[in-house]
């Protein structure tokens, strides 16, 4: 099962977007999950991760205080609320999952990537 990311778009600096990641109920309930992003010509970057219960959250330094990761247990989706967006947040955003929060925050340990959703922040 591949993740299906959505919610990207074009927004002005200082604006907000909310991304969602859909997967199967079994995957959602069984794994820690994370968001990553990749800007053109750059390496994939860790954004945020959440453990299976939702009790532990971790963030990349560049998004701390601006982005919030959450799990919707009814819709079985992973969400990323992005506030105070900056032009440097422009990237394709991906979600993925892993056995624990330590593993899922390292993109090179993961496979089964989706197509991502493009976020463009204009200055």
């Amino acid at each position: 099962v591949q993740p299906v990311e959505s919610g990207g778009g074009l927004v002005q600096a200082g604006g907000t977007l909310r991304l969602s990641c859909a997967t199967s109920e079994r995957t959602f309930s069984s794994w820690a999950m994370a968001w990553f992003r990749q800007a053109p010509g750059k390496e994939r970057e860790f954004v945020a991760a959440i453990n299976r219960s939702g009790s532990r959250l971790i963030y990349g330094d560049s998004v701390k205080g601006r982005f919030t990761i959450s799990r919707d247990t009814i819709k079985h989706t992973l969400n990323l609320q992005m506030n105070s967006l900056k032009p440097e947040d422009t990237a394709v955003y991906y979600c993925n999952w892993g056995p624990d929060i330590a593993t899922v925050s390292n993109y090179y340990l993961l496979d089964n990537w989706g197509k991502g959703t493009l976020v463009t922040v204009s200055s």
Side-chain angles (χ1 to χ4, degrees), residues 10-46:
L10 174 63
V11 63
Q12 289 189 331
T16 64
L17 277 176
R18 184 176 180 86
L19 306 184
S20 292
C21 171
T23 183
S24 70
E25 178 180 356
R26 181 176 181 179
T27 297
F28 180 84
S29 62
S30 301
W31 300 96
M33 301 186 76
W35 285 99
F36 297 84
R37 66 186 183 186
Q38 189 164 17
K42 294 189 177 181
E43 189 176 5
R44 193 157 295 188
E45 176 189 14
F46 169 73

Side-chain angles (χ1 to χ4, degrees), residues 72-110:
D72 186 325
T73 57
I74 296 175
K75 297 181 180 179
H76 305 120
T77 58
L78 177 72
N79 298 314
L80 186 69
Q81 178 66 41
M82 305 188 296
N83 299 332
S84 303
L85 282 162
K86 304 176 181 179
E88 51 264 44
D89 294 319
T90 295
V92 177
Y93 284 71
Y94 302 88
C95 71
N96 216 319
W97 48 81
D100 51 64
I101 202 168
T103 302
V104 81
S105 34
N106 291 284
Y107 75 88
Y108 49 87
L109 297 178
L110 309 176

Side-chain angles (χ1 to χ4, degrees), residues 33 46 48-51 53-60 64 67-71 78 101:
M33 301 186 76
F46 169 73
I50 186 168
N51 67 352
S53 68
S55 61
R56 186 181 175 201
L57 316 176
I58 57 174
Y59 294 93
K64 281 180 182 177
F67 291 11
T68 303
I69 189 171
S70 63
R71 303 174 73 108
L78 177 72
I101 202 168

